[in-house]
Amino acid sequence: IAESLRRLSEPEWTPEEQSVVTDADEFKGLLRALGVLRRIQWRLGQAGELLLPASPADVELDDVPEKEAESLRGWHERAASALADTRDRWEMVEALLHGLHLDIGAWDPSASFEAGGCAASGSAESS
């Protein structure tokens, strides 16, 4: 996605050509999908912060056999690396969207139920 957005921002595209692309229904659907992906990425990041240790050294695995402990440490490292990579790539996508003056809609993570922003009585709005 980032590469496609990067190509769209290249100087050989005239403003009229960019407009034809960004006004297309398929592209508008892509922007809606990016809004959904933003929420998924945020939720996975929250899960990672809750479930993954800040550092593999922080995990006490004294009672776990060494082979399994090493496997778990490796899994933690790969998962943390993947989450960091996802955050970096998302920041790139957001910068490209901003540079192209494209909007995927407003969203406040603090209003989501995971962040405690949803009323206990229930809300008609989805997060």
Side-chain angles (χ1 to χ4, degrees), residues 23-96:
D23 289 344
D25 289 339
E26 294 87 358
F27 193 82
K28 290 177 183 177
L30 172 67
L31 293 179
R32 285 189 300 277
L34 286 174
V36 172
L37 286 174
R38 170 180 53 191
R39 289 182 171 105
I40 292 170
Q41 186 273 333
W42 179 82
R43 286 182 169 110
L44 287 173
Q46 293 295 329
E49 287 180 24
L50 290 170
L51 301 174
L52 292 174
S55 162
D58 293 343
V59 180
E60 293 184 27
L61 300 172
D62 299 333
D63 296 337
V64 178
E66 186 56 36
K67 183 177 179 182
E68 285 83 3
E70 193 59 37
S71 176
L72 184 58
R73 284 187 196 99
W75 186 88
H76 283 158
E77 288 174 11
R78 288 188 305 277
S81 176
L83 283 171
D85 185 47
T86 300
R87 282 187 192 110
D88 292 345
R89 289 173 186 249
W90 184 252
E91 287 176 11
M92 182 186 313
V93 167
E94 284 185 325
L96 289 164

Side-chain angles (χ1 to χ4, degrees), residues 1-10 89 92-93 96:
I1 293 174
E3 185 57 36
S4 297
L5 292 171
R6 188 175 302 118
R7 276 187 257 145
L8 186 58
S9 65
E10 291 176 349
R89 289 173 186 249
M92 182 186 313
V93 167
L96 289 164

